[in-house]
Amino acid sequence: MSDASKTTAFAFTMLLFLCCIPTMNGSAELTPDERLAEQGLTLLALRNDTIDTNQDGDIDAVRVVVVLNSTQPQNEMIIKLRGLHKEREVMEVQELAFESQTNISLVYDSWSAGEHDLRLDFFDRDGDFIATYPLPTFLLRPALQVPLVRLDLDAGQSIQTGETCTVDREFSDETGPRYGETGVRTFTGAPFSVLDTQQSLDCSSWPAGDYELKETYRNGLGQTTESTLNFTISNRPPPDFTLKVMGHQNTTDTPCSVMMKSQQSMDYSPMVKVWSVQGTVVPGINSTTLDCSYLGPGAHLVTLEIITEKLISSTQGTNIIRLPSLELMENESASLPSTSLGPETKTTSVGWVSMGILALVVTILVFLMLVRVRESEPLELQNLGPEPQILADGSPDAQGLPTTVDDQGMLWRQHPDGSVDWWDQDWKIWHKW
């Protein structure tokens, strides 16, 4: 062979050697089993079992079973089962220490419907990577409950201030806490702060107004949910009641009572009730009934004022006539109002002569007044009272005070101290009640 041929053959041989170097290095890359073997570990078995947790016919979880054998007297390691879905990864982590041989079982629960790519990673006790085993891709449908928030109103169709009213809050999320991705709940629309631990809200003490409650939740996996609730609380009208009397026009030795009667579906027990007789407050009585048996003979004005928790009040009154007892002694009867004897009452005649003289005197006085000439005097008009209290459009001027209209169509306004005025439509003025 010539020198040129030898040179060409040598160059071709060196080129083939250089081309084979990457292939040799690639073949030198350790497999997962070899990486485990360097740690004295041998993977005896790796099995994937699909699970239908809720037995609805759809696969919703995967159980990965690993059997490891070790030649080391003591082994500590970390195993992570990872699942990738919608570019978001979750994992199930298990730390273990064993001798000789161990069985490990990890369960991956689907948190969203679709394809989930699984893989199994091995780390030493310091968290340094050892090996990874790719697992199949599974089509899963979650059995875990997705986030849910719901607001329900427990109240009547029309709500007034002070009536029973409850907002029930329902919340659940099995997916977020399963993988340590618990989110944040946000509540808006209430007049007061609401904590996550409050499962129900008492809205019976809320002020009147229109409410739009909204609660939202988002966990770390990006799952969101929300619920809204709209309702209105109206101002409760003033107490509407009447007084019923038992013992009117009876003698003082018979029972007497005044009772409050109302057609309103209102709880009067927490309200303040003030009884008065002849304008004097009867102390120590906060009841819907007044015992008036102690009232003496005569006419008595009994009033009842009921004041709500919102300082809205109404007052009703009635007259009670109590007659003297028929069994009183003569000296006791003399100090009491007498009872009319009707047709048996004795009367005295004044006589026709006296009546004629009185008529003559009156006639003369009238004649003198008519014929008497007097200088004309300016006509003095009678004082008609205060100026009308109306606005430019003719409506009543409430001067900024709250007003209300009762069932009889009467307009009322309330002062800050609780007192009220009623509107006189004829004179166009406010009267103190």
Side-chain angles (χ1 to χ4, degrees), residues 118-323:
L118 304 185
R119 82 171 191 264
L120 191 65
D121 293 339
F122 293 85
F123 299 84
D124 62 17
R125 64 179 181 180
D126 297 325
D128 295 329
F129 175 77
I130 298 177
T132 184
Y133 286 85
L135 301 177
T137 297
F138 295 91
L139 182 61
L140 305 177
R141 183 176 298 275
L144 296 174
Q145 186 174 12
V146 297
L148 168 70
V149 293
R150 188 169 65 189
L151 302 176
D152 294 320
L153 178 65
D154 184 9
Q157 292 186 352
S158 60
I159 312 172
Q160 295 180 345
T161 52
E163 289 185 341
T164 301
C165 175
T166 303
V167 177
D168 296 320
R169 303 169 63 199
E170 182 179 353
F171 168 76
S172 62
D173 179 20
E174 294 181 354
T175 308
R178 170 67 175 83
Y179 291 107
E181 298 290 350
T182 303
V184 178
R185 298 168 64 182
T186 304
F187 194 96
T188 59
F192 311 105
S193 299
V194 177
L195 303 177
D196 291 347
T197 55
Q198 295 178 267
Q199 297 183 354
S200 63
L201 307 177
D202 183 8
C203 49
S204 60
S205 60
W206 292 7
D210 297 326
Y211 291 93
E212 181 179 355
L213 306 183
K214 182 177 182 180
E215 183 168 6
T216 60
Y217 173 76
R218 178 185 178 90
N219 62 20
L221 298 174
Q223 296 173 320
T224 61
T225 182
E226 70 177 23
S227 178
T228 59
L229 178 64
N230 298 316
F231 61 93
T232 300
I233 299 179
S234 305
N235 266 321
R236 179 182 289 272
D240 184 14
F241 62 96
T242 58
L243 296 180
K244 181 179 180 181
V245 181
M246 295 181 61
H248 178 62
Q249 293 187 348
N250 290 345
T251 57
T252 55
D253 56 354
T254 57
C256 176
S257 62
V258 183
M259 294 166 289
M260 184 211 76
K261 296 294 182 182
S262 176
Q263 300 297 327
Q264 289 178 306
S265 58
M266 184 182 297
D267 183 12
Y268 287 89
S269 56
M271 302 181 187
V272 178
K273 292 166 278 291
V274 181
W275 290 93
S276 300
V277 177
Q278 300 296 109
T280 302
V281 175
V282 181
I285 299 180
N286 188 23
S287 172
T288 57
T289 303
L290 173 69
D291 184 8
C292 52
S293 301
Y294 71 95
L295 296 179
H300 307 275
L301 174 61
V302 177
T303 60
L304 171 60
E305 180 184 13
I306 299 182
I307 307 172
T308 67
E309 302 89 337
K310 304 298 182 181
L311 300 181
I312 301 175
S313 64
S314 294
T315 303
Q316 293 290 341
T318 184
N319 288 311
I320 300 177
I321 298 177
R322 298 290 281 168
L323 302 177

Side-chain angles (χ1 to χ4, degrees), residues 10 39 63 111 137 170 201 204 262-263 270 299 330 335 347 352 430:
F10 178 78
Q39 304 293 324
R63 179 186 291 110
W111 57 272
T137 297
E170 182 179 353
L201 307 177
S204 60
S262 176
Q263 300 297 327
E330 185 177 352
S335 61
T347 59
W352 291 103
W430 293 99

Side-chain angles (χ1 to χ4, degrees), residues 362-381:
V362 172
T363 302
I364 295 173
L365 291 176
V366 171
F367 176 77
L368 293 176
M369 292 176 63
L370 293 176
V371 300
R372 184 177 179 182
V373 179
R374 300 179 58 186
E375 295 181 359
S376 61
E377 297 179 357
L379 180 62
E380 294 183 359
L381 297 177

